[in-house]
Amino acid sequence: MKRFLFIPLLMAILSSCHNSWTENSKEGASVTYHMTDKTDKICEVGTGNPEVPAIDPNYQGKVTLPTSSDDYLVEAIGEGAFRGCKKLQEVVIPPTVTSIEKGAFEGCEQLRSMVIPSRVSHIADGIFRGCKNLQSVTIRCRMNRIADHMFYDCQKMIRVDFPKGVTAIGDYAFYGCNSLTEVVIPKGVTTIGIEAFQDCRNLTSVSIPEGVTAIGEGAFSGCANLQSIHIPASVKSIGQTAFSGCTGLTSITVDPANPVYDSRNACDALIEKESNTLLVGCRKSKLPSTLTAIADWAFYGVDGLTSVSFPKGMLSIGERAFANCHDLRSVYFPSSLTSIGECPFAGCPSLTSISIHSENPIYDSHHDCNAIIETLTNTLLYGCKNSTIPPVVKKIGKGAFAGCRGLTSIRLHEGIISIGEDAFRDCPDLKNVAIPSTMTQIGENAFKGCRQLSVVEVRARKPLTIFDNTFSDCGAPKLFVPKGARRQYESAGYWSDFSSIEEH
C-alpha cells in the first residue's frame, strides 16, 4: 500500500519541478518562478508551495523582478513568495503584475517601502503582515478594499495613503501600527472592519467621513492617545468595544442628524438612542438623566475619571464597564439598578468607596461595607481595599477583588462556602489569606498572580477543591493546615504543589 501512495506523491513533486524554474535577478539573487498558464505563457513569482519562499530566506538586500522570465510573462506575486525573508530590504515589482497573493511579503522584517504598480487588480489577505520596519507603501492602482491583515503589525508605518476607489477597510488591516499618528479616511469608504486600527497606540487623530455606515467591533480599541471621536450622520452600526481602551479621549460627538446614535446634551459620550445605552464614555462624560444602561467595556481604562454617580432610572451596568479606571475612587448605585455585569471595576486600584441606595431590592451594601452584595444569594460581587465582609456573605463572586491594590490581608469568616474564579487575581499587595472550615471550593485563578502572597491558612481538615491554577504565579507561599491534616493535604490534588505545608 505504501508503494502505491508514494507514486502519485513522486509524480506531483516531478510535475512541480517541471513547472518551476529559477533565474538570477540583476542583483544576483536566485528567484524561483512558477508557471500558471502554459497556453498564454504566464507565470508567478514563487515556488508553487506557499510554505517555500521564492528566494533564499537569508538573502539580504534588494530584488528587482523582471517583466518576464524564461519567455513567460510575470503577472503575479504568488502566495507566500517572500514569506519569512527577514533580511530582505527592497522588492521592485514589475508593471506587468496584476495580482499579489496571500502573505506574499509576510514577515519581511527589514522591508522599508514598497511601490504597488498601477495594473494590480487583486491584493490578497495579509501581504505585509509582520513587516515590522515597513514605513510607507505607494499604491498606484485602484482598490475597492484594503485587504484583511494587509498592514497587520507594521509597527513603523508612519502614514496611510489610501488608494483611489477604496470603499472598505478590512478586518485587522492596520492592527498594531504603533507609529501611525493621524488617519484621514477618504470619502467613499462605507465600512471600517473588525479591529481595523486596534492598538495603534500613538494615533491621536482620526477623521471618519460622512458615508461610513459601519464601524466594526474593536475597530479603534486600544488607541490610547486618540483624543476625540466624531460620528457622522451616516453611521448605522458600531460594533462592541469599537473604542474601548481609548484612555486619552476627551471629546465624543455625534452628528445631530444621526438616526441611531447621539451625544445628547453635549454629554461627551456615545449613546444608542433606542435603548438609551451609553456605549462609549470618556473622562469628561456626563451621564444624562435619560440613561438606562452602561454597555460592556464602555469606560474601560479611562484615566482621570474619579467618581461615578448613576442617574435615577439606571437599570444595568455591563461587563468590565469601568475596569482599569485607575483614578476611580467612588461609585454610587441607584435603587433602580437590576443588573451588573462581570468584573465591572476590576483593576481599579484607587477605588475606596462602593455603595448602593438602601431601597434597591436586588443589591445591598450591608452596614456600609464598601462592597456590593447580591441579596438573594448573599454573594459579595464587588469589593475594594476598604471592604469589610459582613457575616451574611456566603460566597465571594467571580473577580470580586481582582486587581485590588492595597489589599494586604484577607480573613474570611466561618460560613463562607466558596470563592469564585479570579476573585483575588492579581492583587499585588496581598500577603496573608485565611480560609474558613466551611469553605468547599476555591475557583480557577482565584489567587493567580498574587506575587506577595506568603501565608495561606486553611481551617478545613478535609482538603477542599481547588484547581491547578488557583494559586499559580504566587511565588512560594507557606500552607498552614489543622493539626493532624498535613498528610491529607500532601496527597491531595494541587494542594500537594505547595512546597511548605505545616500544621497549626
Side-chain angles (χ1 to χ4, degrees), residues 292 310 313-317 333-340 356 360-363 372:
T292 60
F310 298 103
M314 176 67 66
L315 299 175
S316 66
I317 296 167
F333 300 102
S335 59
S336 56
L337 193 69
T338 59
S339 173
I340 307 177
I356 193 163
N360 189 290
I362 298 174
Y363 307 106
I372 297 297

Side-chain angles (χ1 to χ4, degrees), residues 310-371:
F310 298 103
K312 294 179 181 179
M314 176 67 66
L315 299 175
S316 66
I317 296 167
E319 178 182 347
R320 296 188 178 270
F322 295 88
N324 284 12
C325 289
H326 296 121
D327 301 313
L328 187 61
R329 298 187 181 95
S330 64
V331 180
Y332 177 77
F333 300 102
S335 59
S336 56
L337 193 69
T338 59
S339 173
I340 307 177
E342 291 182 355
C343 307
F345 305 104
C348 295
S350 301
L351 191 60
T352 56
S353 175
I354 304 175
S355 59
I356 193 163
H357 195 284
S358 60
E359 295 181 6
N360 189 290
I362 298 174
Y363 307 106
D364 66 65
S365 298
H366 204 77
H367 297 307
D368 298 321
C369 63
N370 277 316

Side-chain angles (χ1 to χ4, degrees), residues 114-345:
M114 176 74 69
V115 176
I116 297 177
S118 60
R119 289 189 61 199
V120 172
S121 59
H122 171 72
I123 295 178
D125 184 7
I127 65 169
F128 295 113
R129 182 171 183 159
C131 294
K132 297 181 183 297
N133 283 289
L134 187 68
Q135 296 181 10
S136 64
V137 175
T138 302
I139 303 174
R140 292 178 176 166
C141 61
R142 291 183 66 87
M143 292 175 59
N144 60 14
R145 177 182 174 87
I146 302 295
D148 295 351
H149 302 92
M150 185 166 177
F151 298 103
Y152 187 103
D153 199 29
C154 293
Q155 298 176 12
K156 296 293 179 66
M157 178 73 72
I158 57 177
R159 74 174 191 273
V160 179
D161 294 324
F162 290 96
K164 293 180 180 179
V166 169
T167 61
I169 298 172
D171 298 344
Y172 316 100
F174 296 93
Y175 185 112
C177 292
N178 292 330
S179 296
L180 280 179
T181 58
E182 182 181 4
V183 172
V184 178
I185 297 171
K187 291 182 179 179
V189 170
T190 59
T191 59
I192 300 171
I194 295 170
E195 299 182 19
F197 294 91
Q198 181 167 324
D199 286 346
C200 294
R201 296 172 187 171
N202 289 302
L203 185 64
T204 60
S205 173
V206 61
S207 176
I208 302 172
E210 182 67 28
V212 169
T213 60
I215 300 173
E217 182 176 349
F220 296 93
S221 177
C223 295
N225 286 293
L226 189 61
Q227 297 173 7
S228 64
I229 301 168
H230 177 73
I231 304 298
S234 56
V235 173
K236 304 298 189 297
S237 171
I238 299 176
Q240 189 177 33
T241 70
F243 297 96
S244 71
C246 295
T247 58
L249 279 176
T250 57
S251 174
I252 302 173
T253 58
V254 180
D255 190 300
N258 190 297
V260 180
Y261 306 102
D262 66 43
S263 51
R264 63 192 66 169
N265 303 325
C267 65
D268 276 313
L270 174 63
I271 297 172
E272 184 181 59
K273 288 183 176 182
E274 184 177 358
S275 64
N276 289 313
T277 298
L278 188 148
L279 303 178
V280 184
C282 69
R283 71 184 72 174
K284 292 188 176 181
S285 295
K286 304 175 186 67
L287 303 186
S289 59
T290 51
L291 205 63
T292 60
I294 306 288
D296 296 350
W297 305 79
F299 286 86
Y300 181 89
V302 171
D303 291 331
L305 185 69
T306 58
S307 65
V308 180
S309 182
F310 298 103
K312 294 179 181 179
M314 176 67 66
L315 299 175
S316 66
I317 296 167
E319 178 182 347
R320 296 188 178 270
F322 295 88
N324 284 12
C325 289
H326 296 121
D327 301 313
L328 187 61
R329 298 187 181 95
S330 64
V331 180
Y332 177 77
F333 300 102
S335 59
S336 56
L337 193 69
T338 59
S339 173
I340 307 177
E342 291 182 355
C343 307
F345 305 104

